[in-house]
Amino acid sequence: MRSLIVAAMTAALVFTPLAAAGAAPAESTVDLALPKPTGPAAVGRTTLALVDRSRPDPWVPDAGPRRLMVTMFYPAVPHTGTRASYMDIDEANALVDFGGFGDQLPGNRLAAARTWSRTDARPLKGRHPLVLLSPGFTVPRHTLTGLAEDLASHGYLVAAVDHAYESVAAKFPGGVLPCAACDLPDQIGIAPIAINRGKDLKFVLDQVTRTWPVSRVAAVGHSMGGDAAATTMRADHRVRAGVNLDGPMLPAESVGNRPFLLLGSTGDHATGGTFDPSWDEVWPHLAGWKRWLTVDGADHYSFTDLDLLVQQAGIEEPFELDPARGVQLTRTYVRAFLDRHLRGLPRPVLDGPVAAYPEITFQQETH
């Protein structure tokens, strides 16, 4: 797990349904589990392979057009579809091998982790707000499954995206792609990667809205995906709001007067911090509703499923913040933000500190 964290932190049209990961391998013991979604709706999921024929892949041009894998999470009719495994076995093997904990957490065990979504369940009728979800650099979209399932249980449509050649464990038609871009942040910086992800998410939005009835749209991302939330807003004014979960921001990032939430670890993203000063630099350029919140005790993966699954697997890690609490806080504040800005609902947790969440610190004055 440690090597996975270090690697990710230093890294700073065809529309084809693809069979999603199905039942967990029979020989696996299902002892890992995501927290149950907190909303009233059942959750469905389906996997799509998208190809943007308007542009070549920026990192491996010889590979042809830009490709993206998308898992759609959505409110579903109860008891339809089949229970989804956490991720494909090939993806799980690649992830644990890269993280260096395959002996303690075999791929089949990770793949079989308990989820609460059902593959190809029947969608509930109606128009839903859409959340574009981008993962951290080197890790796959599946690491945000717990957040995606929770949002879908509250009536959101979620498109979780894998960007080709930017993850060690993203399976495309033909197999798991190598992370050909893994060394690029040190070579070219994060700006070209974040800007390209903005183009990716704009394309996903174009495709999703052709098939799914969508109301308002937001972009949310972890780590590099958090910066991509902002670049997507710059690229597409249909995206009304954005969230960065413990990721960098381009220094001159501006999303105009649209709402933006910065939610990160206190160790990395407190006001005046030196590890990543980009939040201090971008804060004055955020002209709309904004919040800068940090979570005491959180690490970089507290905002994903990874800390929780590693803890459940019995792998010793110095978690200062209980991983289940990290998942709860992420779900609570991301959904509160989306409820407020996509649905117009009052959410007092965004107005100032509350006793129920003492880990949350409001870092800056807001408006």
Side-chain angles (χ1 to χ4, degrees):
M1 182 65 174
R2 182 67 56 202
S3 61
L4 182 63
I5 292 173
V6 171
M9 287 299 289
T10 53
L13 175 71
V14 175
F15 189 77
T16 309
L18 186 74
E27 68 274 16
S28 300
T29 301
V30 182
D31 59 346
L32 310 180
L34 300 180
K36 186 176 181 179
T38 60
V43 179
R45 67 191 280 188
T46 191
T47 304
L48 310 171
L50 304 182
V51 182
D52 183 355
R53 297 196 179 278
S54 70
R55 57 194 177 108
D57 189 278
W59 318 132
V60 186
D62 291 345
R66 182 63 167 167
R67 293 185 289 165
L68 304 159
M69 292 300 300
V70 180
T71 299
M72 300 297 301
F73 296 86
Y74 52 89
V77 176
H79 312 300
T80 62
T82 57
R83 184 184 71 82
S85 59
Y86 184 64
M87 58 176 20
D88 179 271
I89 185 66
D90 294 336
E91 293 172 315
N93 285 334
L95 185 60
V96 298
D97 287 347
F98 178 76
F101 47 85
D103 291 342
Q104 297 166 286
L105 178 55
N108 63 334
R109 188 179 177 198
L110 178 60
R114 173 72 157 95
T115 68
W116 301 88
S117 49
R118 298 178 70 84
T119 300
D120 296 330
R122 223 165 43 245
L124 287 180
K125 294 181 179 179
R127 187 176 298 273
H128 305 286
L130 170 66
V131 180
L132 302 169
L133 197 57
S134 183
F137 206 63
T138 76
V139 294
R141 67 194 188 279
H142 308 294
T143 58
L144 296 172
T145 297
L147 175 60
E149 290 185 336
D150 191 63
L151 290 173
S153 77
H154 287 276
Y156 287 92
L157 179 64
V158 181
V161 181
D162 263 326
H163 309 263
Y165 301 107
E166 297 181 24
S167 169
V168 299
K171 188 172 184 178
F172 284 67
V176 175
L177 293 183
C179 191
C182 272
D183 294 330
L184 288 181
D186 289 336
Q187 299 171 12
I188 64 175
I190 66 170
I193 300 168
I195 291 170
N196 188 69
R197 282 200 176 193
K199 296 177 182 177
D200 289 346
L201 295 181
K202 185 179 188 300
F203 176 76
V204 171
L205 176 55
D206 290 340
Q207 304 313 303
V208 169
T209 52
R210 291 183 180 183
T211 308
W212 296 79
V214 171
S215 55
R216 298 177 177 181
V217 182
V220 178
H222 169 248
S223 194
M224 185 71 75
D227 201 355
T231 61
T232 303
M233 292 176 71
R234 292 174 62 191
D236 196 323
H237 282 272
R238 292 174 294 177
V239 183
R240 300 172 63 103
V243 180
N244 183 331
L245 300 173
D246 211 44
M249 293 285 285
L250 301 186
E253 201 79 75
S254 174
V255 297
N257 60 2
R258 285 170 289 173
F260 204 85
L261 171 65
L262 298 167
L263 178 63
S265 56
T266 302
D268 295 341
H269 285 115
T271 303
T274 57
F275 181 84
D276 179 10
S278 67
W279 286 19
D280 286 285
E281 296 169 4
V282 77
W283 182 255
H285 300 284
L286 300 175
W289 186 102
K290 58 185 178 181
R291 295 290 185 272
W292 176 348
L293 311 179
T294 55
V295 184
D296 293 342
D299 64 43
H300 190 53
Y301 285 98
S302 295
F303 308 92
T304 75
D305 306 332
L306 284 176
D307 278 2
L308 179 63
L309 294 174
V310 165
Q311 181 191 59
Q312 291 176 350
I315 299 173
E316 293 186 5
E317 286 288 329
F319 296 121
E320 183 178 346
L321 177 70
D322 181 70
R325 181 65 167 174
V327 171
Q328 180 190 19
L329 292 170
T330 303
R331 286 175 165 187
T332 297
Y333 279 85
V334 171
R335 182 164 57 84
F337 174 84
L338 296 172
D339 284 349
R340 182 164 186 164
H341 296 292
L342 298 190
R343 289 174 161 160
L345 301 174
R347 291 294 180 258
V349 295
L350 299 172
D351 296 332
V354 294
Y357 305 113
E359 304 92 340
I360 299 295
T361 300
F362 284 67
Q363 291 288 334
Q364 290 276 9
E365 292 183 3
T366 56
H367 64 274

